[in-house]
């Protein structure tokens, strides 16, 4: 059975001045897939996510979203970004707005909804991440885990076709990562297509349909989590995954 | 008894300039706010040409004494455009204050963490939308303490428009002092009024600051 891929990245290059970060990265993602992207720091994971939603214009290569080439000239990039939800490592909630306001502002300003309609939908999204009772709180009054869940609700409000997570739990205390991962797991269950940059190997094992290991701006190896963790083809993949799995277990034992 | 009567007469004469002073100050602050925010936006978000325009404005205007700007507007520009002394003086003050407000808002724009812009673009906002709905509201809040300081400076600088004959508090104090030959009483009364105005302005600004403080 072949379905139309939701996202196709072909031979993507990205340089910042002299530094080449992505060196011919290719990946195809089917609807409802959850792809966990791992790799050493500096391997280009964050840059890749920011190239996918065009926050960084790729130096070369092409990206298709829903069969539309979004790297083609003349594409309305703001419209493209609406369809791609993004969650950041450091949340980036709008500090002058409440949790509700953070979710609402995209609905009123970008989706041009009326206030009432936007309010109701925003409350629904907050309910999805379990934060209805924090709707009136400002970001400074929320815990890290709550902030990240608001950020997820804010992205979901735009009704994205795919969600990008850039190390969503790295800035969190260990006891707060669980609530964020739970929300993400729920999203995956509901059929959301997701690319997750994360070293949460427990999450990768349970939720990922595919694990992609990248290094130096290219894909080294990819496969189902089981295969990647137990019998990776590349020695480099084995070494890297063993290292972060050990760290992960070490963290859990404490 | 005579003293008290003189004081009341002096005060009531000078008080007629109160609304003029308030008018000049508010108009100048508003003009300065428009210039300041616009020029700061050009300096932070504009292309190279617009950045330079805004920089030249801010640097030159801050280097020229305010009184010279008032003279230029009243004696040169007002020849071609019909400007009352009140308008010429207020606009000149506003133009000058705009240069200082440019610096205040430039700092405020730059103090908004870059992640705010990235997050705004990521939900599909255009650059302009992001500046309007996300960056500007935060920058204004960050600018408030310095802006309040600028507001009291403009209030005091409003005395300068007396040189083109605007009948504000200071001008009226001068007039009554020339008539009564009691400069101490005349300028003392003016001083008192400025003191009260500044204190009220400071209270209002502090209230606004507390009300809209950003929690980081």
């Amino acid at each position: 059975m072949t379905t139309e891929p939701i996202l196709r990245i072909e031979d993507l290059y990205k340089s910042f001045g002299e530094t080449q970060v992505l060196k011919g990265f290719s990946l195809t993602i089917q609807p409802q897939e959850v792809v966990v992207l791992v790799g050493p720091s500096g391997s280009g994971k964050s840059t890749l996510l920011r190239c996918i939603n065009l926050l960084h214009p790729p130096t070369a290569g092409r990206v298709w979203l829903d069969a539309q080439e979004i790297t083609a000239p003349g594409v309305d990039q703001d419209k493209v970004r609406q369809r791609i939800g993004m969650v950041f490592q450091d949340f980036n909630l709008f500090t002058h707005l409440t949790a509700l306001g953070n979710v609402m502002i995209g609905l009123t300003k970008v989706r041009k909804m009326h206030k009432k309609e936007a309010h109701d939908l925003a409350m629904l999204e907050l309910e999805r991440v379990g934060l209805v009772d924090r709707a009136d709180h400002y970001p400074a009054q929320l815990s890290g885990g709550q902030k990240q869940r608001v950020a997820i609700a804010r992205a979901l409000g735009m009704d994205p076709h795919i969600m990008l997570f850039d190390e969503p739990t790295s800035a969190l205390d260990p006891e707060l990562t669980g609530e964020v991962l739970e929300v993400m797991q729920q999203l995956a269950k509901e059929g959301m297509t997701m690319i997750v940059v994360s070293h949460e190997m427990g999450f990768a094992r349970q939720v990922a349909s595919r694990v992609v290991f990248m290094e130096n701006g290219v894909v080294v190896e990819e496969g189902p989590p089981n295969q990647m963790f137990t019998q990776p083809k590349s020695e480099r993949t084995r070494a890297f995954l063993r290292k972060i799995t050990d760290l992960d277990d070490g963290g859990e034992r404490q | 008894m005579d003293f008290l009567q003189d004081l009341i007469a002096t005060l009531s004469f000078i008080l007629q300039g109160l609304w003029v002073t308030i008018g000049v100050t508010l108009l100048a602050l508003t003009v300065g706010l428009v210039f300041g925010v616009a020029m700061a936006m050009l300096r932070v978000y504009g292309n190279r040409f617009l950045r330079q325009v805004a920089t030249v404005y801010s640097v030159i205007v801050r280097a020229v004494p305010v009184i010279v700007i008032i003279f230029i507007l009243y004696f040169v520009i007002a020849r071609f455009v019909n400007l009352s002394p009140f308008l010429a003086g207020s606009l000149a003050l506003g133009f000058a204050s705009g240069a200082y407000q440019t610096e205040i808002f430039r700092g405020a724009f730059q103090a908004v963490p870059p992640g705010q812009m990235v997050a705004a673009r990521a939900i599909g906002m255009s650059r302009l939308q992001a500046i309007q709905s996300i960056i500007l509201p935060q920058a204004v809040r960050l600018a408030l303490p310095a802006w309040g300081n600028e507001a009291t400076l403009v209030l005091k600088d409003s005395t300068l428009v007396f040189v083109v004959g605007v009948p504000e508090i200071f001008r009226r104090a001068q007039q009554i002092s020339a008539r009564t030959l009691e400069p101490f009483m005349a300028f003392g009364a003016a001083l008192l009024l400025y003191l009260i105005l500044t204190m009220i302005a400071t209270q209002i600004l502090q209230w606004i600051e507390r009300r809209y403080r950003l929690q980081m």
Side-chain angles (χ1 to χ4, degrees):
Chain A
M1 188 186 84
T2 53
T3 48
E4 185 72 28
I6 195 165
L7 184 79
R8 191 147 66 89
I9 304 164
E10 204 178 88
D11 212 18
L12 202 64
Y13 283 81
K14 176 66 188 176
S15 308
F16 297 97
E18 294 289 294
T19 331
Q20 215 173 34
V21 182
L22 298 177
K23 302 167 188 169
F25 185 97
S26 299
L27 189 68
T28 302
I29 293 175
Q30 302 297 330
Q32 311 207 337
E33 259 197 305
V34 177
V35 171
V36 171
L37 195 60
V38 298
S41 66
S43 58
K45 302 172 305 248
S46 295
T47 304
L48 175 71
L49 293 191
R50 283 166 190 234
C51 280
I52 293 175
N53 72 357
L54 308 174
L55 283 172
H56 291 329
T59 312
R62 309 209 279 174
V63 180
W64 285 264
L65 177 68
D66 301 321
Q68 179 204 9
E69 191 196 337
I70 59 175
T71 41
V75 169
D76 184 342
Q77 303 195 343
D78 298 330
K79 278 256 155 30
V80 169
R81 284 193 204 100
Q82 265 185 66
R83 289 187 278 150
I84 305 176
M86 184 148 189
V87 174
F88 304 89
Q89 179 176 353
D90 38 12
F91 328 125
N92 291 342
L93 287 183
F94 304 133
T95 45
H96 65 302
L97 297 173
T98 60
L100 181 66
N102 266 277
V103 185
M104 269 179 75
I105 195 149
L107 304 179
T108 53
K109 301 285 175 191
V110 182
R111 289 181 72 184
K112 309 283 181 203
M113 285 185 178
H114 290 294
K115 255 214 157 100
K116 172 86 177 65
E117 201 186 348
H119 174 275
D120 294 349
L121 179 57
M123 286 307 274
L124 271 177
E125 298 299 354
L126 284 177
E127 199 181 325
R128 254 172 118 175
V129 298
L131 284 174
V132 171
D133 57 330
R134 293 285 184 277
D136 295 332
H137 286 52
Y138 283 89
Q141 301 163 322
L142 298 172
S143 75
Q146 291 169 339
K147 279 185 212 174
Q148 195 59 297
R149 282 147 68 197
V150 172
I152 293 174
R154 173 175 71 182
L156 288 175
M158 304 312 291
D159 199 15
H161 296 200
I162 183 169
M163 289 275 286
L164 312 178
F165 292 86
D166 190 1
E167 306 209 27
T169 56
S170 302
L172 298 176
D173 289 339
E175 73 259 37
L176 297 178
T177 58
E179 57 186 88
V180 173
L181 293 176
E182 256 168 53
V183 168
M184 290 167 62
Q185 190 160 7
Q186 186 58 37
L187 271 183
K189 245 187 237 159
E190 291 166 14
M192 177 62 76
T193 312
M194 296 160 48
I195 303 179
V196 184
V197 170
S198 174
H199 290 160
E200 295 286 344
M201 288 304 108
F203 177 82
R205 276 204 190 89
Q206 284 173 33
V207 184
S209 29
R210 245 191 310 162
V211 174
V212 174
F213 172 56
M214 78 181 284
E215 188 168 38
N216 297 321
V218 293
V219 174
V220 176
E221 186 173 352
E222 57 168 301
N226 236 337
Q227 178 199 320
M228 289 289 278
F229 286 117
T230 53
Q231 45 206 188
K233 295 190 192 84
S234 134
E235 189 45 48
R236 183 67 193 112
T237 310
R238 184 193 308 275
F240 180 79
L241 285 178
R242 181 178 303 143
K243 205 187 278 169
I244 58 174
T245 315
D246 282 353
L247 280 177
D248 209 29
D249 290 346
E252 270 163 26
R253 258 198 304 273
Q254 281 183 356
Chain B
M1 201 54 205
D2 271 1
F3 173 80
L4 207 61
Q5 265 175 349
D6 285 353
L7 184 66
I8 290 170
T10 304
L11 259 178
S12 65
F13 182 81
I14 296 177
L15 260 177
Q16 293 167 45
L18 179 70
W19 291 108
V20 182
T21 288
I22 293 177
V24 169
T25 306
L26 289 183
L27 185 56
L29 272 176
T30 310
V31 170
L33 182 68
V34 172
F35 267 95
V37 170
M39 292 293 170
M41 269 166 71
L42 294 187
R43 273 190 78 164
V44 180
Y45 298 109
N47 60 26
R48 184 205 283 264
F49 173 73
L50 293 174
R51 278 206 310 269
Q52 266 165 6
V53 170
T55 308
V56 165
Y57 162 75
S58 159
V59 168
I60 291 187
V61 172
R62 280 185 300 146
V64 177
V66 179
I67 207 152
V68 174
I69 299 176
I70 296 177
F71 278 146
I72 291 175
L73 210 67
Y74 188 62
F75 291 113
V76 185
I77 296 179
R79 281 175 147 185
F80 307 106
V81 205
N82 191 13
L83 281 181
S84 66
F86 175 84
L87 265 183
S90 308
L91 290 180
L93 269 183
F95 190 66
S97 170
Y100 291 93
Q101 294 194 38
T102 300
E103 297 305 314
I104 291 172
F105 285 105
R106 180 177 65 92
F109 276 119
Q110 286 169 340
V112 176
Q116 298 286 310
M117 174 61 100
V118 176
R121 299 304 302 277
I123 56 171
M125 285 192 186
S126 67
R127 203 170 149 80
L128 199 63
Q129 270 182 328
I131 294 174
Q132 265 177 12
S133 317
I134 305 300
I135 310 295
L136 189 59
Q138 295 186 34
V140 166
R141 287 165 166 87
L142 291 172
L144 266 176
W147 194 86
N149 189 38
E150 173 66 15
T152 56
L153 286 178
V154 170
L155 171 62
K156 287 182 286 180
D157 277 354
S158 73
T159 51
L160 291 173
V161 300
F162 93 97
V163 294
V164 291
V166 181
E168 41 70 71
I169 293 175
F170 185 69
R171 174 84 177 177
R172 288 194 155 261
Q174 219 184 16
Q175 284 169 343
I176 191 96
S177 137
R179 204 180 311 162
T180 61
L181 301 178
E182 295 267 18
F184 182 76
M185 184 180 287
F187 291 114
L191 181 142
L192 200 69
L193 282 180
Y194 280 115
L195 192 66
I196 293 171
L197 275 179
T198 310
M199 272 164 33
I200 293 174
T202 311
Q203 285 302 313
I204 295 175
L205 286 160
Q206 275 180 357
W207 180 81
I208 297 176
E209 222 178 284
R210 270 198 305 273
R211 173 83 176 64
Y212 291 100
R213 178 173 297 153
L214 267 191
Q215 293 175 309
M216 286 293 202

